[in-house]
Amino acid sequence: MLPLFIGLEGLKGCASSDKPTGPDAEAKAASPQRKPRIYTEQVASLLISQDRKQLVVLGEQYHYVFEAPADLVRLLESPLKARLSAAIGPFHIALNGSTQGGYQVFLPADLNEDEAELAQSLGFMKTTSEHSGWALARPLQGKRYVVGNTFRAARSQHQLNRSYTVTMEAEEAPGQKTVEQLATPVAIASDGVLLIYYVALAPLLIPLIFLSKEKRPGAAQAASAPSPATQP
């Protein structure tokens, strides 16, 4: 099944509202906004913590740690997991490192009656595009962290079967330095296992694609289905 790209850009508004409030709201609204820095990130790892609380995207420059959505956790523990494919991104990083984005998960059209009932109970909606099936879109909210030299030296083997180039949009103050940003909470144990806050991380083993920008309907129909991640 080819994935239907619903448009994750709109989910940023669902994740939070950044409109200024208070007596200086008008002044803030009137001040010119900084032009965000656009950069690309090489992503080769998508992980979930053993306690199902953290979803982690490992990039070459930064790590992006999100709260694992309850809907996604339920899906990963359901009989539908084997039929899932997913899309993640794009991402927007605020000045304080807060990161917003979204994810979409897809199911094929040929679900049996029990599978269709379960999909509906989990929030999936049936699509009516040329490549019909079931789809669910939700926001992601988390934080961006700097990757240290120690982590780079002990490179992880928890990787997808290919590397994805993802476009990031980040607000940054003039002269902002890496040392002022938070260091990653992800570490590598002596046995090679990845940890976050002393909890083990494991690859999220579903067919996956990262989105770098909004997809037009024509482009979505032409896009190829994502390839499954390889097991460690």
Side-chain angles (χ1 to χ4, degrees):
M1 179 194 75
L2 300 184
L4 171 67
F5 294 95
I6 298 172
L8 290 171
E9 196 69 23
L11 287 173
K12 292 192 295 187
C14 301
S16 68
S17 176
D18 295 327
K19 291 183 179 179
T21 57
D24 61 342
E26 291 184 6
K28 289 183 179 179
S31 63
Q33 292 186 343
R34 294 186 184 93
K35 186 177 180 180
R37 178 172 74 94
I38 306 298
Y39 67 96
T40 57
E41 183 78 87
Q42 293 297 314
V43 173
S45 299
L46 176 65
L47 310 165
I48 190 166
S49 60
Q50 194 172 42
D51 60 6
R52 295 295 197 259
K53 292 183 178 180
Q54 309 288 335
L55 187 67
V56 181
V57 175
L58 300 186
E60 289 289 331
Q61 305 172 70
Y62 299 96
H63 291 166
Y64 307 83
V65 179
F66 300 97
E67 299 172 12
D71 288 350
L72 183 59
V73 171
R74 285 196 295 270
L75 266 174
L76 296 175
E77 295 172 349
S78 80
L80 297 174
K81 178 184 176 181
R83 309 203 70 185
L84 287 175
S85 60
I88 294 180
F91 299 111
H92 176 84
I93 301 98
L95 198 60
N96 63 358
S98 295
T99 303
Q100 295 180 9
Y103 71 94
Q104 300 169 72
V105 280
F106 312 101
L107 289 165
D110 62 342
L111 300 183
N112 62 40
E113 187 175 339
D114 290 339
E115 289 174 331
E117 185 176 345
L118 178 57
Q120 286 180 306
S121 72
L122 292 172
F124 279 83
M125 296 185 66
K126 207 163 188 179
T127 63
T128 56
S129 70
E130 178 184 347
H131 306 292
S132 60
W134 299 78
L136 172 68
R138 291 288 187 269
L140 283 173
Q141 192 165 16
K143 199 89 171 178
R144 182 183 73 173
Y145 297 89
V146 175
V147 179
N149 293 330
T150 302
F151 189 94
R152 287 194 182 96
R155 193 170 296 276
S156 166
Q157 297 302 312
H158 293 254
Q159 296 187 336
L160 307 174
N161 64 330
R162 56 159 291 188
S163 177
Y164 293 86
T165 300
V166 184
T167 303
M168 305 290 184
E169 181 183 83
E171 299 175 10
E172 293 184 358
Q176 184 177 12
K177 296 181 180 179
T178 299
V179 292
E180 299 171 350
Q181 302 175 46
L182 295 174
T184 180
V186 180
I188 304 177
S190 58
D191 58 0
V193 173
L194 287 178
L195 304 171
I196 181 168
Y197 308 122
Y198 303 102
V199 178
L201 290 164
L204 195 63
L205 300 176
I206 56 177
L208 176 72
I209 190 170
F210 281 85
L211 302 181
S212 59
K213 60 182 179 179
E214 187 79 6
K215 296 284 186 179
R216 297 190 306 271
Q221 292 175 5
S224 58
S227 300
T230 54
Q231 295 194 21

